């Protein structure tokens, strides 16, 4: 479960960072709200794990997540477009999708499985939202 918590931590920071740099106001609101959602997901999962007796849950994210955010920061500072920032966000969502799929392939207590399934559904929808907006920017 640490991998899921790590990817949620990475997503929280990554979405906040991209939300600060995109120019489109609708996307800005979306990314900032999604950052809060990832923090909420993380809290829900940590609470459920505490109920199951797991108490030492600390996350500072992943090395790849840190590198990914650094790359996104560099893109933002160099004036990269919203399209390029959305590409970065989609790559992060691809990582989240994989971590959730891997977690759900394991034998999990039912409450944890249900929670992860609900969160995964949201992450898949978020991935599709980011991808469709990225693709729409190419079409313009």
């Amino acid at each position: 479960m640490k991998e899921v918590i790590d990817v949620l931590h990475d997503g929280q920071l990554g979405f906040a960072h991209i939300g600060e740099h995109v120019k489109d106001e609708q996307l800005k609101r979306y990314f900032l709200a999604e950052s809060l959602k990832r923090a909420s997901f993380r809290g829900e999962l940590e609470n459920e794990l505490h109920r199951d007796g797991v108490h030492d849950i600390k996350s500072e994210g992943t090395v790849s997540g840190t590198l990914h955010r650094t790359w996104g920061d560099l893109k933002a500072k160099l004036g990269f477009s919203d399209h390029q920032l959305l590409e970065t966000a989609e790559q992060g969502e691809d990582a989240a999708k994989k971590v959730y799929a891997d977690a759900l392939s394991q034998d999990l207590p039912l409450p944890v499985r249900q929670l992860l399934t609900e969160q995964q559904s949201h992450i898949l929808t978020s991935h599709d939202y980011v991808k469709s907006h990225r693709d729409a920017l190419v079409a313009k």
Side-chain angles (χ1 to χ4, degrees), residues 19-140:
E20 293 170 4
H21 291 94
V22 293
K23 294 165 189 70
D24 180 278
E25 286 301 317
Q26 178 184 351
L27 289 174
K28 184 178 291 288
R29 285 188 301 276
Y30 175 79
F31 278 101
L32 295 175
E34 198 61 28
S35 171
L36 294 174
K37 188 69 161 174
R38 299 307 162 98
S40 172
F41 282 177
R42 183 175 159 197
E44 291 171 353
L45 182 55
E46 287 174 349
N47 286 338
E48 195 58 51
L49 291 173
H50 283 294
R51 277 189 214 102
D52 278 348
V54 180
H55 297 291
D56 188 26
I57 305 169
K58 294 180 182 166
S59 175
E60 296 178 9
T62 63
V63 172
S64 64
T66 301
L67 292 173
H68 191 73
R69 282 190 305 280
T70 302
W71 176 234
D73 186 44
L74 181 60
K75 285 180 177 180
K77 286 180 180 172
L78 293 174
F80 280 52
S81 68
D82 282 2
H83 176 265
Q84 290 160 317
L85 293 172
L86 287 172
E87 282 180 336
T88 300
E90 185 185 0
Q91 291 166 356
E93 290 296 78
D94 286 341
K97 285 172 44 176
K98 180 181 180 334
V99 166
Y100 269 83
D102 290 349
L104 286 165
S105 72
Q106 300 173 22
D107 185 28
L108 301 169
L110 186 58
V112 173
R113 177 169 298 285
Q114 288 174 328
L115 180 61
L116 289 180
T117 300
E118 291 169 15
Q119 291 179 357
Q120 180 190 43
S121 176
H122 179 87
I123 285 172
L124 294 172
T125 300
S126 175
H127 173 273
D128 293 347
Y129 179 89
V130 169
K131 184 178 184 313
S132 70
H133 278 76
R134 184 210 62 198
D135 291 348
L137 289 174
V138 170
K140 288 183 179 181

